[in-house]
Amino acid sequence: MKMRYSYNMKTHKAFLKQYLPQENKDEVKEKPCVFGSDEKEYKKNMAKKHFRFIISPESQDLPMELYIKEVVKEMEKTTGYSFYWQAAVHTDTPNIHAHVVINGFDKKGKEVFFDYDTLTRQFFDIASGLATNIVGERTREQMQATRDKWTVAKRVTEVDKDLLARLKDGQVTYRSGDERRRLLFLEELHLARFEGGHNFSLHADLESILAANGKYNVFLDTRNKYREELRLYDPSKMGELKGTIVEVLNQDDDKYWVNSLVIRDEKNKLYFVPTKRPENKSAVNKHIVIKIKENKEEVKKPKRGHEK
């Protein structure tokens, strides 16, 4: 389960009108049905704030619409909210998945808020528990398949934490086949290097790089694309950033989870900068200034006069 949120009404409306029913994809001939709470009531009470979930169960045998309705029902029981929500099942990728949007205010007028524990543990437990109830316990082969997925995950895993805990002088010795497969995959990502025997060295920023990719799913691919060190811009620590826009990555909820820019600063360092709003593709090669003002990140729009 993945979640993103926004405070943008235009994004909210576009997601509901275009993305859920896949009206933005001409190649999808059989459009999915949108379901959830009453559509008219949802639109009448739409707020800028909204949450978007992607639910992609391991089992592809689930009756997805029924499953999603049960997941939302359990989420309501857990949080005490009575959601305005809409959803659709998308079948245009190898893994059937559902997109769910929840309005930022519920039917009682309460503002919806999810704390970290609710998102990372309780909702995951709800989704996985309901899937098990519907299709039954997983077989040994299915559990092994899950472990295999962890070895190629582009985020911080429990295996990574174990490896980092045993790191000595920049190197670690693998103790199992799963650890070896994980290290070989990290080597493909240029985050580990085979040193001989059972030993691998790990990138000094392995955990922070994987954490960045867990939050911004194209961070690693973008980093490897440019074949140089890509830094995640942290306004609270780095302050003002001046540079040239190298690439614009606008959110589409499938490939890109967030809007972001790749910026090369005046010292020739490359930064990945998440943004609240999409940027026009024509901004590439233009100068931009990002600075902190009153504890908020302020992005000065690129100007034509600053084009390089």
Side-chain angles (χ1 to χ4, degrees):
M1 179 184 288
K2 304 180 182 75
M3 190 280 289
R4 291 291 177 269
Y5 67 92
S6 173
Y7 286 87
N8 188 293
M9 180 63 83
K10 184 178 179 181
T11 301
H12 195 173
K13 288 181 177 179
F15 188 86
L16 200 65
K17 184 178 180 180
Q18 296 290 326
Y19 192 80
L20 273 186
Q22 294 191 300
E23 294 296 338
N24 59 333
K25 291 190 174 183
D26 294 335
E27 66 273 19
V28 178
K29 303 302 180 185
E30 191 172 333
K31 304 298 183 184
C33 295
V34 177
F35 59 94
S37 58
D38 184 81
E39 184 179 0
K40 290 183 179 179
E41 285 297 309
Y42 187 102
K43 291 179 178 178
K44 181 181 177 181
N45 291 277
M46 277 180 74
K48 291 181 180 179
K49 182 181 180 181
H50 62 285
F51 300 85
R52 302 187 301 275
F53 293 84
I54 301 175
I55 302 177
S56 180
E58 287 184 30
S59 174
Q60 297 291 284
D61 298 324
L62 284 166
M64 283 295 287
E65 185 171 331
L66 172 64
Y67 170 63
I68 296 303
K69 287 178 179 178
E70 290 301 312
V71 168
V72 173
K73 188 184 297 183
E74 289 301 315
M75 287 169 65
E76 289 181 321
K77 289 180 182 178
T78 298
T79 61
Y81 295 119
S82 181
F83 298 131
Y84 288 113
W85 67 281
Q86 296 281 277
V89 177
H90 290 185
T91 60
D92 59 322
T93 64
N95 290 320
I96 297 173
H97 59 282
H99 291 265
V100 181
V101 59
I102 294 177
N103 193 45
F105 287 83
D106 78 350
K107 294 177 181 178
K108 300 173 185 176
K110 292 167 59 179
E111 184 173 2
V112 177
F113 172 78
F114 301 125
D115 61 48
Y116 183 79
D117 180 66
T118 300
L119 287 173
T120 58
R121 185 176 62 82
Q122 295 185 45
F123 285 179
F124 178 83
D125 288 346
I126 287 170
S128 60
L130 284 170
T132 299
N133 289 342
I134 294 172
V135 300
E137 294 290 342
R138 295 181 299 169
T139 64
R140 183 176 297 178
E141 290 76 14
Q142 288 171 327
M143 288 189 282
Q144 181 59 50
T146 298
R147 288 196 293 272
D148 290 343
K149 284 184 179 179
W150 277 78
T151 63
V152 294
K154 293 182 178 180
R155 62 183 185 280
V156 180
T157 70
E158 292 302 317
V159 175
D160 299 323
K161 293 177 182 178
D162 289 342
L163 292 170
L164 287 166
R166 304 201 311 268
L167 196 65
K168 186 176 181 180
D169 298 327
Q171 293 190 23
V172 66
T173 301
Y174 66 80
R175 295 176 177 175
S176 67
D178 284 345
E179 287 190 351
R180 178 178 177 274
R181 285 189 290 274
R182 179 60 175 170
L183 287 163
L184 288 171
F185 180 69
L186 291 176
E187 188 174 38
E188 291 178 18
L189 299 178
H190 310 293
L191 296 175
R193 185 175 63 198
F194 178 60
E195 300 291 353
H198 289 190
N199 299 321
F200 282 78
S201 57
L202 301 180
H203 192 288
D205 297 320
L206 171 68
E207 191 166 15
S208 61
I209 290 171
L210 289 176
N213 199 71
K215 191 173 183 181
Y216 309 110
N217 69 314
V218 291
F219 180 82
L220 259 177
D221 289 342
T222 306
R223 177 179 180 271
N224 292 335
K225 174 182 176 180
Y226 288 97
R227 296 186 179 182
E228 59 181 286
E229 204 62 42
L230 179 68
R231 300 159 180 83
L232 176 63
Y233 174 65
D234 184 343
S236 64
K237 296 178 181 178
M238 299 177 182
E240 184 174 275
L241 176 65
K242 295 180 180 179
T244 302
I245 297 174
V246 177
E247 187 174 3
V248 174
L249 305 171
N250 285 335
Q251 176 183 310
D252 65 6
D253 283 284
D254 270 334
K255 186 175 181 181
Y256 305 121
W257 296 349
V258 293
N259 300 307
S260 53
L261 302 173
V262 179
I263 296 175
R264 189 175 297 282
D265 76 355
E266 295 173 336
K267 295 181 180 179
N268 205 35
K269 293 180 179 179
L270 209 59
Y271 289 89
F272 184 92
V273 183
T275 61
K276 291 183 178 179
R277 296 178 178 83
E279 183 59 77
N280 195 297
K281 296 286 185 179
S282 64
V284 172
N285 294 327
K286 293 181 180 178
H287 190 269
I288 191 170
V289 178
I290 300 176
K291 64 179 183 179
I292 309 303
K293 185 177 181 181
E294 297 179 355
N295 297 321
K296 292 183 179 180
E297 184 179 344
E298 179 185 14
V299 179
K300 284 192 173 182
K301 288 284 186 180
K303 298 180 180 179
R304 291 184 179 180
H306 287 164
E307 190 170 349
K308 290 190 176 183

